[in-house]
Amino acid sequence: MQNETGNADAESVAVVQGTTRFVRMAGLAVGSHYSSVAWRTLAALDAARNGARDAGSSSAPGSNAPAGLRVSEIARLQRVAQPSATSLVNRLEGDGWVRRDPDPADGRASLVTITDAGARALADYRASVATRLSPMIAALPPRDRSALARAAELLADFAEQLEGGAAVP
């Protein structure tokens, strides 16, 4: 696949490599003792609580059901084995960042939901990363800052397309 600026496949690989490395380094830069999977899980649970469709929530928007995810869904979203997801949920639950509620659709299952403490921890993590990143962004010339802002918008759009399973032209 070629586009006007060169090889789209090579550009796509560069985006994946760059964003993956950035996320890994951002977590290390703030000295987090949690894995990126833990932060992604909290982010997915936070999105589910806030009604975002990208979270994979098993609750219908506008329902009174707990907005959470089953451990099996967390494992699928994070691409880890279910025992690993269970261990992660146990750790996050032990820290008071998530809780398990009965799944109203299936009495044998539970839904994992983020707690207020978990949402605060996620917000603090994001703020810590932003604090480390802000001086780097501020040092960029305005044109590069604008390009970075536009790249963030495009990546968010791409994520929505990928989550929705939409065919990308």
Side-chain angles (χ1 to χ4, degrees):
M1 297 178 93
Q2 292 272 337
N3 70 11
E4 295 170 39
T5 60
N7 186 320
D9 290 339
E11 291 169 354
S12 298
V13 168
V15 167
V16 170
Q17 288 175 330
T19 55
T20 302
R21 183 167 186 242
F22 173 79
V23 169
R24 187 176 60 251
M25 293 294 96
L28 292 172
V30 297
S32 172
H33 298 290
Y34 288 88
S35 69
S36 60
V37 174
W39 295 117
R40 289 194 318 259
T41 298
L42 286 173
L45 293 170
D46 191 52
R49 179 166 84 164
N50 292 314
R53 73 170 182 83
D54 65 328
S57 175
S58 51
S59 298
S63 75
N64 291 329
L69 303 173
R70 290 183 177 186
V71 172
S72 60
E73 184 66 4
I74 291 170
R76 186 190 69 77
L77 288 170
Q78 303 307 328
R79 296 184 347 255
V80 298
Q82 188 157 343
S84 297
T86 298
S87 294
L88 173 62
V89 168
N90 288 343
R91 180 178 179 195
L92 296 173
E93 187 175 34
D95 290 338
W97 290 1
V98 302
R99 71 172 186 271
R100 296 174 207 240
D101 295 307
D103 184 344
D106 183 351
R108 300 167 297 168
S110 62
L111 295 176
V112 180
T113 57
I114 192 168
T115 63
D116 289 341
R120 280 191 303 275
L122 178 61
D124 289 347
Y125 168 76
R126 289 173 170 166
S128 294
V129 172
T131 297
R132 289 293 306 267
L133 190 57
S134 287
M136 292 177 234
I137 293 174
L140 294 172
R143 181 178 173 157
D144 287 350
R145 286 201 317 264
S146 294
L148 186 59
R150 180 65 182 134
E153 291 171 359
L154 289 170
L155 288 171
D157 289 347
F158 293 163
E160 284 189 31
Q161 291 177 40
L162 292 169
E163 288 163 353
V168 179

